[in-house]
Structures are given as C-alpha cells and as structure tokens.
Amino acid sequence: MNTPPARKLLGRNNGAAQRRKVYETPEGLETVSSDMYDVAQQRVLWEDVQFVTHHKEIGWPFVVVNGIALLFFFGMMVLMLFAPGSGWEAALVFFILGFPFLAAVLTRVLLKVDVVTVHGRRSRTAIRWTFRKAKARAAYAMIVARAHDAQRRLAQQIRMEEADYVEATTEMPELPPVAEVPEG
C-alpha cells in the first residue's frame, strides 16, 4: 500500500474565491488549490527551482474594498452629524461600524503582506503572510537552502555520471590481431 509522502504545511495563499495551501515535501513544494468544487495539485521540485523572491505588497483589491466600506460608514457619520434633527448618537453608531474597516486599511498599508514566490521551470507558487514576518523570512531561507542543496547534489551526480561515461568511452577495447596479407 502506498502512503503519501510526509508533508508539512508551510503557508497559505488565499484569494477572493480560491484557497491555496502550500506544503513542504521531501521532493519540493506542493500546492493544493481549491476553487469552489475543483481541487488541483501542483508541485515545484527542489531541483527545478529557478529563483525565489521575498517581497512585500499592499494588495490593492483588499484596500479598495475596505476603503469603499469605510467611505460609506464615515460618509453616513458626517451626514448624521450635520443633518437637522439627528444627533451625535447616530453618528457614533456609524463611526463604530466603520472603525474596523479603518483599522483593516491602516494595518494593511502600514504592515503590508510578505510574499515568498518560488519560480520553477514549469510552475510557480506563492505564500503570503500578513502578520508573521519572521516566519516569512524563515520560510524564504529554508526554501533557498533546500533548493541549493538539492541542486548541488544533482550537479554532483551529473558530474559523476559524466566522468563514468568519459572513462568508459576512453577505454579502448582490445582488438583482435590483424592477419597479415601476403603481397602479391
């Protein structure tokens, strides 16, 4: 019976309609994507890693959506403050309703999201961390080290195979003695 290889959850990369989990396996990184009802797996093998990036991004769709909600609630607050017959109590309610959106926008703009992207020959995967910055740096270092080790081992194996091939092809087999042809 085949057992699946041991894998460890490294991080997530979630979007509006798609959920991705990135696992570390002995062979490389495995991404499991679930998009509504479809589930797909993709791998980036350690030997195939071309380059790894670690950068920060704001994620403008998140900021825009929360900014629109913030403008709505704070706009209603201003209307309640200056509307005749309504008091500060109604404005306070809209301020309280809009405050989480303000906190979300400020947090995202100030802290940003750490993104580690791994580019392979035929595939790519990304992992995002909003708050765990040290984990993002540790994952980046681990991925670079594992890819470097795997590629070093592969290069050493290729060199050994090439040396064996060159050695095997340079040895000339003994030829049978050539019969002398009489002149005549």
Side-chain angles (χ1 to χ4, degrees):
M1 181 153 120
N2 285 340
T3 59
R7 60 184 194 173
K8 177 181 136 188
L9 181 64
L10 195 59
R12 291 179 167 78
N13 183 10
N14 296 330
Q18 193 171 45
R19 304 290 178 245
R20 293 183 184 144
K21 292 181 180 180
V22 180
Y23 295 95
E24 173 192 357
T25 66
E27 295 85 26
L29 297 175
E30 184 175 294
T31 304
V32 179
S33 302
S34 61
D35 181 14
M36 302 299 245
Y37 300 107
D38 296 329
V39 177
Q41 285 185 322
Q42 170 184 337
R43 284 189 177 171
V44 179
L45 301 176
W46 297 125
E47 292 89 10
D48 291 342
V49 171
Q50 297 288 318
F51 62 96
V52 182
T53 63
H54 177 210
H55 63 280
K56 294 178 185 280
E57 67 180 26
I58 292 177
W60 289 109
F62 179 85
V63 172
V64 167
V65 168
N66 283 297
I68 289 171
L70 174 68
L71 287 175
F72 171 76
F73 286 114
F74 279 16
M76 293 301 291
M77 178 189 75
V78 169
L79 284 175
M80 292 298 144
L81 278 175
F82 296 113
S86 63
W88 61 272
E89 296 89 3
L92 181 63
V93 168
F94 281 108
F95 177 78
I96 292 171
L97 290 174
F99 187 76
F101 296 104
L102 175 64
V105 167
L106 288 177
T107 302
R108 179 59 67 96
V109 168
L110 294 176
L111 293 181
K112 297 183 175 70
V113 175
D114 281 41
V115 182
V116 174
T117 308
V118 181
H119 297 266
R121 288 184 185 152
R122 295 175 272 309
S123 56
R124 175 179 71 91
T125 191
I127 312 164
R128 289 177 163 69
W129 289 273
T130 304
F131 298 110
R132 303 173 83 183
K133 309 300 183 180
K135 188 166 184 176
R137 288 188 297 275
Y140 172 75
M142 182 275 304
I143 291 169
V144 168
R146 295 279 305 265
H148 180 71
D149 289 344
Q151 291 176 4
R152 186 175 36 77
R153 278 194 313 272
L154 182 63
Q156 185 178 19
Q157 180 184 358
I158 290 172
R159 277 194 303 272
M160 289 175 61
E161 289 174 0
E162 285 176 350
D164 291 343
Y165 177 75
V166 168
E167 185 179 305
T169 56
T170 55
E171 292 178 4
M172 296 295 291
E174 281 201 34
L175 298 174
V178 177
E180 291 186 28
V181 178
E183 287 184 34

